[in-house]
Amino acid sequence: MRTDTPPTIYRKDYTPPSYWVRTVEMGFDLEPSATRVATRMTLERNQTSNDKVLTLYGEELQLVQIRLNGKVLGTKAYQLKDGVLRIPTTAEQITLDIETLLQPDRNTSLMGLYVSNGNFFTQCEAEGFRKITYFPDRPDVMATYKVMLRGDKKKYPVLLSNGNLIEQGDLGDGRHYALWEDPFKKPSYLFALVAGQLVCQEETIKLKSGREALLQVWVEEGNLDKTQHAMDSLINSIRWDEERFGLELDLDRFMIVAVGDFNMGAMENKGLNIFNTKFVLANPRIATDVDYGNIEAVVGHEYFHNWTGNRVTCRDWFQLSLKEGLTVFRDQEFSADMIGTDSGRAVKRIDDVRVLRQAQFPEDAGPMAHPVRPDSFVEISNFYTVTIYEKGAEVVRMYQTLLGRDGFRKGMDLYFERHDGQAVECDDFRAAMSDANGRDLTQFERWYSQAGTPRVVATTVYDAVHKTYAITLKQSCPATPGQKNKLPFHIPVAVGLLDSNGNDMQLHLRGFPQVQSTVVLELMEEQQTFVFEDVSEEPVPSLLRDFSAPVNLEYDYSDADLAFLMAHDSDAFNRWEAGQRLAARRLLALTATAQQSGAVLTTDPALSESLRLTLNDAALDPAFREIALNLPSETVIAEQMDVINPQAIHQARRFLRQSLAQALRADFIEAYKANQTPGDYSPDAASAGKRALKNLALSYISELDDAAAHVMAQTQCDGADNMTDRVAALGALANSTAPGKEAALAQFYQDFEAEPLVVDKWFSLQAMARTTDVAAVRKLMQHPAFSLKNPNRARSLIFSFCNGNPSQFHASDGSGYAFWAEQVIALDAINPQVAARLARSLDRWRKYAPSLQSKMQAALKRVAQTAKLSKDTKEVVGKSLAAE
Ligand code: TRP
Ligand code: ZN
């Protein structure tokens, strides 16, 4: 922590290291308050470097001793300043011994080595290894590691690190040891150790090549009944990567460990993935269908990193999306393939696009907007963003859209052939895709270098005489911080044309021989016109099918066109999209009305009739019907307004939901009855889809807040045999005036008090309830189960309120903002990474009405002026406040 302005790091300043580290041997004497770490590394001079200094990084370390080639280095032989250790040397080969002393039990940042519930864990990405020892802690320095762990036998019966267990035994003094060796060279951010009282579920499987591998899922005792789904997901991930990409597990042993205190979702440490408990533990009693899906996705994600991230890693942190965007794309495809059906794939795609629009589009339009490959940062932890991850995945998906599945696979094969064992750049990935397919992808590079969500405006002309249909696409991209003018992107726009019966026309694109029902138009200029021939009647265009590019596509559809697409488009994504466009139109109109005092909101029978058709269409999967009946969120509507009025949006959306509930009440009741899932709970996609539709029906019916609705929710809450149904019913009650509401909340807590992940749900659901204001959140913070120190708990209450309850958070008196500032400051002293995430909640402050804006600005300034603020939080609030 520093008080001066933290430095900005630039991509253009990259220089190769002056030394490579070849081998690392580490010895840990594990003690919560004083862990001794002895590190020996062998280094070799990088012949291409002119730098006459060996540079190592260290933070919050007590340095005991440095020895260079066996000789103790006096304090004059090196320079230590601001976490950088410089040793002047030009020797070809060096052996460096460094001894450090750590205090893991006082490490609340959860970076480096820390204690959680009495056990030891590490988190080294991105720059946590430097909190363990002084080291050239940068991803282009790769070495093989041998790790000796020593600790009390009773307190730490389990001692784990990366790779293979070589040896273990007794030390005689009540302590024992374990020696681990990782045969693959890796960057320091993939180092990990775990020590403590843990138990595991294990299974041996045969890999495609015939080799055997031991798989383990490690948890605290008492959680062994919650590991089966993670194990199944791991096995499915291994099989999927063998099948889809021909990639096999390269270790004899692969471990997953769950920890309750964790900054993010999970971490892909080589052979020893460490997970937030939220993404491991599941059984029907404690986990929802969504939790089951998330666990499968995150287990897949971390496993897939073994190739995309670990075997081929990043040259520097500006290349982060090289591994994250690619690995998110891979986990998205994995989850889609696990569902299997076409409509299931579409639902998964819609879910992913919803996340993108809800979180990434606002980021790309706000003060923290950055390219998929950023040019600068202050704190790299702040760049684990939805842009790097989700937009990065969209960029990877576009290669597949442009090159086809087979072409994409060829590109992947070439990427591994060229770069296995290397630390590379995003450009290397693009080159592999380009070279493997003989395709010029020069212009595609702009997806990596230019921030902002492109806008594509489509116009069409039908020529009835010549039977041609012309689509003109015009692209632009709004200015983002440091990037005023943008050059045209290479945008794949998948298009279909519907005839008057709602069928796909066969498309004859001028200049292209192939006839298809979906064509990918490649928009490369600022404006381009594409002409279709032999078009027998004026079609309704289905544009950007399957969301073929991360852009905002505008077209002047009539309401009738949208209703038609909703009913007929063969592209399930665009069927959903048409409904969303129609609903967003209504919501924006209602919001405008709600802002005029005395204005009366009125219903729209056309929208409810379209939604009724979808709701009752038995040919559609329940999961699809559920997602189609879900109105655009308050955040998505806010992004479409010039000046955001959270109260008006909330009022409009609630009104629309209530009027839909009234109009479709009988249909919802019917859907509720028709989508029961009797028998034992199973998280499979078909059952989950039914539960989702049933619970959507319940939530609409509950909007009516009458006695019948209360009984329905109460009955479900009391009778539920799984968490999906229980929490859905409790949520409905929490948003109602049902007489049994308080009792239901109390009962839920009593039933699940011993399950931290369920207590998180309990906090979160109350944080987002309509009537929960700042005072109510403060009261919840007084609950004995609340703690700011546990990130999951802080997220469940504070983040849920600030990000998930916009109408209360944006209370006109500014009380929400004052609360936010207080919590950011309090969290910053405990855990800068988590604090900096919360600091992002006011990103879009300039888009609000002036009365709110000034109060947000004041709260931001209050945080910015706090003494001893971390560079994490300082960067976020600094960028928010910076002149546009
Ligand atoms: N690389 C991890 C992933 O995407 C996430 C990660 C990065 C992380 N930094 C972290 C996790 C810090 C915990 C803490 O899977
Ligand atoms: Zn990742």
Side-chain angles (χ1 to χ4, degrees), residues 492-505:
V493 181
V495 168
L497 302 178
L498 275 67
D499 68 19
S500 50
N501 295 318
N503 295 319
D504 271 332
M505 292 177 160

Side-chain angles (χ1 to χ4, degrees), residues 663-718:
L664 307 179
R665 180 173 187 148
D667 306 80
F668 280 128
I669 289 177
E670 190 47 42
Y672 187 85
K673 288 188 192 144
N675 288 281
Q676 298 291 321
T677 47
D680 282 352
Y681 171 89
S682 152
D684 68 272
S687 311
K690 283 187 179 175
R691 273 187 296 272
L693 183 54
K694 175 191 71 183
N695 288 323
L696 172 104
L698 176 65
S699 83
Y700 268 106
I701 292 163
S702 298
E703 289 287 354
L704 300 172
D705 203 15
D706 55 18
H710 298 165
V711 169
M712 226 170 142
Q714 187 74 55
T715 307
Q716 179 169 322
C717 196
D718 295 342

Side-chain angles (χ1 to χ4, degrees), residues 125 266 268 301-302 305 323-324 327-328 389:
E125 187 178 4
E268 70 264 26
H301 180 95
E302 305 312 329
H305 266 314
K323 74 177 175 81
E324 295 304 346
T327 305
V328 171
Y389 278 68

Side-chain angles (χ1 to χ4, degrees), residues 111 167 182 203 292 301 335 465 558 625 642 654 780:
M111 291 297 290
E167 201 185 309
D182 183 354
E203 206 162 313
Y292 274 87
H301 180 95
S335 295
V465 176
S558 67
R625 287 186 266 160
D642 293 324
R654 176 137 202 237
L780 282 165

Side-chain angles (χ1 to χ4, degrees), residues 12-79:
K12 64 174 167 47
D13 291 344
Y14 173 84
T15 48
S18 54
Y19 281 84
W20 304 111
V21 178
R22 298 304 184 195
T23 64
V24 180
E25 289 172 80
M26 304 183 86
F28 288 82
D29 285 294
L30 296 164
E31 278 291 340
S33 59
T35 290
R36 198 167 281 276
V37 185
T39 307
R40 169 171 296 175
M41 52 189 127
T42 60
L43 302 104
E44 213 173 281
R45 191 158 174 80
N46 178 1
Q47 302 301 340
T48 67
S49 172
N50 298 317
D51 192 357
K52 297 186 169 64
V53 177
L54 164 62
T55 305
L56 305 100
Y57 306 92
E59 270 170 29
E60 284 157 61
L61 292 172
Q62 192 181 324
L63 176 58
V64 179
Q65 195 181 64
I66 311 179
R67 291 190 303 275
L68 183 73
N69 295 330
K71 272 208 259 173
V72 176
L73 273 196
T75 50
K76 287 198 185 104
Y78 61 87
Q79 212 193 80

Side-chain angles (χ1 to χ4, degrees), residues 110-111 123-126 189-190 262-268 274 298 301-302 305 320 323-324 327-328 381 384 389 833:
L110 312 183
M111 291 297 290
Q123 172 57 40
C124 292
E125 187 178 4
Y189 81 85
L190 291 174
F262 203 67
N263 283 349
M264 307 246 242
M267 180 64 212
E268 70 264 26
I274 299 182
V298 178
H301 180 95
E302 305 312 329
H305 266 314
L320 182 57
K323 74 177 175 81
E324 295 304 346
T327 305
V328 171
S381 297
Y384 286 75
Y389 278 68
Q833 267 184 27

